Amino acid sequence: MRVLDLATLFAGPLAATMLGDFGADVIKVEHPRKPDPSRGHGPGKDGVGLWWKLLGRNKRTITLDLSTPGGRETFLRLAATADVVVENFRPGTLERWRLGWEELSAASPRLVLARVTGFGQFGPYCHRPGFGTLAEAMSGFAALTGEPDGPPTLPPFGLADSIAALATSYAVMTALTARAATGRGQVVDMAIIEPILTVLGPQPIWYDQLGYVQPRTGNRSRNNAPRNTYRAADGSWLAVSTSAQSVAERVMRLVGRPELTSEPWFASGSGRAEHADLLDEAVGAWIARHTQDEVVAAFDKAEAAVAPVYDVRDVMADPQYRALDSVTEVPDPELGPIRMQNVLFRLSETPGGIRWAGRPHGADTDAVLGELGLTPGRIAGLRAEGVL
């Protein structure tokens, strides 16, 4: 499968990365003078952007100015060899360059065009600039996040973009499965505001049927208790979850408050949530008398659910992550051995893998265009015209 990645920051490119992790030939198409901004996002080392090393992995990189006649002609030639195009320009941009669905599907009727934008291809907001932050705000996520007496809180990472990337890769594979039956490609219209709305759960139906608007509750849940973070004697923090009734009972026995399990309200998650102050006090007081290791060992023995609150240093050292190889080492000609997240899941028969980290801007332009039959002279001419 060949994927042409025209997208930037971050949902579209990450979807293409996920496809590349399991064997797709992903060709990253960047403007010759304006590379993907992720190359300069966040910390870098020796002038090399580290975020790009992750986002650009398993991709060959070429430069092409799609707004020029030479760029258009070359891209249509490339699209004729592709299965998927991923783009995130504002609606109408590809059409302005005469590279819209009509032209692309004419070049390859089997092509799947994944269009990833903030608000989708139609509607009153479709031409607005859209970023994941706006989706986190408009979906209801920020309104739910934070302490009850505090402001709405945004995540410190690309949450909505990442959820949209997962949804986009799923949508692309769904379209390709349909193509196997029909022989025809189609358009994927992915609005970043929608996948995050889906993962927020039953809020729309709650509001529709009950008029209920879920409030901010900090680390607590309206559905069960105890559910919070608690500080241990050594200053570390741990998270406790009791979604299952049996686990809630085991936790209360462990912390020395078995009598609470006999209360009528303890028999349901919502009942326990109404008495969260009492349950938090019981669990918090017990954890405060023990170190993290002691808490984890006791909860493990009691078959109750607990986890330390990690930062990235803890993640990198954790034995379970190490056993899964969740953070794996990748050789890189620019930086040497580097570590990054491994592929998303393990398949027993067709495992994915990281073949290389993000490559320099335009590193594969000549090779890819040569595969299309362009001569070195033609490539040099396109470069002289500013197309490459």
Side-chain angles (χ1 to χ4, degrees), residues 2-295:
R2 171 168 283 185
V3 178
L4 307 182
D5 175 11
L6 309 184
T8 59
L9 295 179
F10 284 99
L14 182 56
T17 302
M18 293 171 182
L19 297 171
D21 284 350
F22 286 89
D25 174 24
V26 181
I27 299 173
K28 176 72 175 180
V29 181
E30 298 175 85
H31 192 281
R33 290 165 294 282
K34 292 179 285 187
D36 188 318
S38 67
R39 290 182 179 274
H41 255 60
K45 181 181 178 182
D46 300 333
V48 178
L50 298 177
W51 201 332
W52 168 252
K53 286 295 177 183
L54 173 67
L55 193 64
R57 73 187 190 191
N58 293 332
K59 299 179 183 181
R60 296 195 286 168
T61 64
I62 71 169
T63 58
L64 197 60
D65 186 347
L66 302 180
S67 67
T68 63
R72 176 184 181 276
E73 175 192 349
T74 304
F75 184 72
L76 285 174
R77 197 163 172 173
L78 187 59
T81 72
D83 297 280
V84 181
V85 171
V86 182
E87 65 98 358
N88 71 338
F89 298 107
R90 290 197 204 182
T93 300
L94 284 184
E95 286 74 12
R96 190 169 69 248
W97 296 336
R98 294 189 297 127
L99 287 172
W101 175 239
E102 184 177 343
E103 292 85 1
L104 292 176
S105 60
S108 175
R110 293 172 56 80
L111 188 70
V112 171
L113 174 61
R115 316 195 78 164
V116 186
T117 57
F119 302 102
Q121 295 295 309
F122 58 91
Y125 302 160
C126 70
H127 290 287
R128 291 183 181 178
F131 297 99
T133 298
L134 308 188
E136 290 146 10
M138 290 181 62
S139 63
F141 172 85
L144 287 175
T145 307
E147 294 299 323
D149 56 351
T153 302
L154 295 167
F157 63 98
L159 176 64
D161 279 311
S162 299
I163 296 171
L166 286 162
T168 300
S169 61
Y170 164 50
V172 165
M173 297 309 298
T174 302
L176 291 171
T177 302
R179 187 185 73 176
T182 67
R184 299 189 307 276
Q186 59 183 297
V187 176
V188 172
D189 179 3
M190 179 62 65
I192 296 173
I193 59 173
E194 291 185 305
I196 189 171
L197 181 62
T198 295
V199 302
L200 284 173
Q203 291 184 63
I205 195 170
W206 281 345
Y207 180 73
D208 175 63
Q209 295 296 303
L210 304 171
Y212 174 70
V213 178
Q214 185 175 343
R216 285 193 292 283
T217 56
N219 290 326
R220 287 181 173 178
S221 168
R222 287 292 180 97
N223 303 314
N224 66 81
R227 191 262 196 184
N228 213 326
T229 57
Y230 308 91
R231 196 162 198 173
D234 56 8
S236 61
W237 290 87
L238 298 105
V240 172
S241 176
T242 58
S243 296
Q245 180 70 23
S246 58
V247 173
E249 292 171 1
R250 288 196 287 268
V251 168
M252 300 322 296
R253 288 195 292 269
L254 170 64
V255 302
R257 299 297 301 275
E259 75 282 1
L260 294 178
T261 64
S262 301
E263 296 288 346
W265 49 262
F266 198 90
S268 69
S270 57
R272 297 196 307 275
E274 292 175 359
H275 295 78
D277 286 343
L278 176 61
L279 297 175
D280 273 348
E281 181 183 359
V283 175
W286 185 89
I287 289 178
R289 297 195 297 270
H290 299 81
T291 66
Q292 178 186 116
D293 289 346
E294 290 170 344
V295 172

Side-chain angles (χ1 to χ4, degrees), residues 238-384:
L238 298 105
V240 172
S241 176
T242 58
S243 296
Q245 180 70 23
S246 58
V247 173
E249 292 171 1
R250 288 196 287 268
V251 168
M252 300 322 296
R253 288 195 292 269
L254 170 64
V255 302
R257 299 297 301 275
E259 75 282 1
L260 294 178
T261 64
S262 301
E263 296 288 346
W265 49 262
F266 198 90
S268 69
S270 57
R272 297 196 307 275
E274 292 175 359
H275 295 78
D277 286 343
L278 176 61
L279 297 175
D280 273 348
E281 181 183 359
V283 175
W286 185 89
I287 289 178
R289 297 195 297 270
H290 299 81
T291 66
Q292 178 186 116
D293 289 346
E294 290 170 344
V295 172
V296 171
F299 268 68
D300 190 40
K301 183 177 180 180
E303 298 184 351
V306 70
V309 176
Y310 280 174
D311 64 22
V312 69
R313 294 167 295 187
D314 304 308
V315 170
M316 301 287 265
D318 182 83
Q320 182 63 32
Y321 280 124
R322 285 187 171 183
L324 296 174
D325 197 28
S326 303
V327 178
T328 195
E329 187 171 281
V330 180
D332 182 71
E334 291 185 286
L335 298 177
I338 56 178
R339 288 189 289 171
M340 63 176 65
Q341 298 96 317
N342 210 335
V343 299
L344 270 176
F345 45 84
R346 283 160 290 281
L347 296 178
S348 63
E349 299 300 323
T350 55
I354 304 171
R355 301 183 296 283
W356 60 81
R359 288 172 55 71
H361 183 226
D364 303 291
T365 301
D366 288 23
V368 171
L369 297 188
E371 292 169 8
L372 296 179
L374 274 67
T375 65
R378 177 56 178 155
I379 294 171
L382 290 172
R383 189 165 279 120

